[in-house]
Amino acid sequence: KNKLCLASFWASEFNEYNTGFNMINGSCGGGHFFLGTGNSKKCEEMLIEVRFSSAEFTVGDWASVVRGNWVYDRIAGPAHRLDVSLRARGGVAARHLPHGLVGQAFASTEPRHGRVDEYPASGTFRTSAMAEGAIEGEAAMYEVAAPHTTTFRFSRFEAAEATEGQPGLLAAAAAAASSDGAIEA
């Protein structure tokens, strides 16, 4: 496909009813658009459907739902947050061997637990855990050079579908999972 589709979901556009008229703005092939409750937009393979306070972004067998919600008990800062969920339909994950920090969860049949920080009961804390043991390589290998860039060490963008019997990119689940005692939430 030839058109680039970019879209941003803005929690700051929500009103007191947790909805909005311009929650999503973006462009399709250079043409700009705004979407609010009840609107939809199709840009080649990308379909964006806006509901009351959520939007579903679908491309083929991949879907992402972004839901806006209140920040409860907030002291300062944004009044709304965005919760994101991803799902793969059918055997798309097995065919495309998704990768990257999120994609590895789809490409592995077993849970992948990595190193976690132990937070103190009080005071300030700087995280040091970077998912070691749950991801291949190191976190820096997943950094991209610029926004909207898809090239990184393990990139599968624009890659061909896997053929039956083709080995995956990921290490065996037993080798990738750590035994640090992390508990899945």
Side-chain angles (χ1 to χ4, degrees):
K1 305 300 178 197
N2 298 319
K3 291 182 183 176
L4 176 64
C5 182
L6 301 173
S8 297
F9 193 122
W10 295 87
S12 60
E13 290 294 321
F14 281 139
N15 58 29
E16 66 273 17
Y17 302 108
N18 205 38
T19 189
F21 294 103
N22 291 319
M23 299 182 305
I24 296 177
N25 69 21
S27 64
C28 174
H32 297 281
F33 61 85
F34 294 91
L35 300 174
T37 301
N39 296 135
S40 65
K41 175 75 175 175
K42 182 138 176 94
C43 179
E44 298 212 6
E45 294 179 324
M46 169 76 83
L47 174 62
I48 304 169
E49 297 176 291
V50 183
R51 295 179 183 86
F52 184 74
S53 58
S54 67
E56 183 167 5
F57 301 81
T58 306
V59 177
D61 288 330
W62 291 98
S64 174
V65 176
V66 181
R67 290 178 182 83
N69 207 343
W70 298 101
V71 175
Y72 297 102
D73 299 323
R74 92 181 164 102
I75 297 170
H80 293 89
R81 68 174 196 266
L82 297 177
D83 300 327
V84 180
S85 63
L86 304 168
R87 73 177 178 274
R89 299 179 190 145
V92 69
R95 290 191 312 274
H96 287 281
L97 300 173
H99 215 280
L101 295 174
V102 175
Q104 289 181 63
F106 287 97
S108 179
T109 58
E110 300 293 324
R112 298 173 67 93
H113 301 292
R115 188 172 139 233
V116 295
D117 289 316
E118 290 188 33
Y119 296 95
S122 63
T124 59
F125 178 78
R126 182 178 294 253
T127 188
S128 63
M130 298 294 282
E132 296 93 339
I135 62 171
E136 287 192 307
E138 300 170 4
M141 295 174 164
Y142 295 85
E143 292 178 10
V144 293
H148 313 297
T149 301
T150 59
T151 304
F152 61 97
R153 170 86 181 264
F154 303 106
S155 181
R156 292 280 303 149
F157 284 90
E158 305 300 327
E161 287 188 8
T163 58
E164 193 170 328
Q166 178 181 356
L169 297 176
L170 301 175
S178 76
S179 57
D180 65 358
I183 299 172
E184 200 168 34

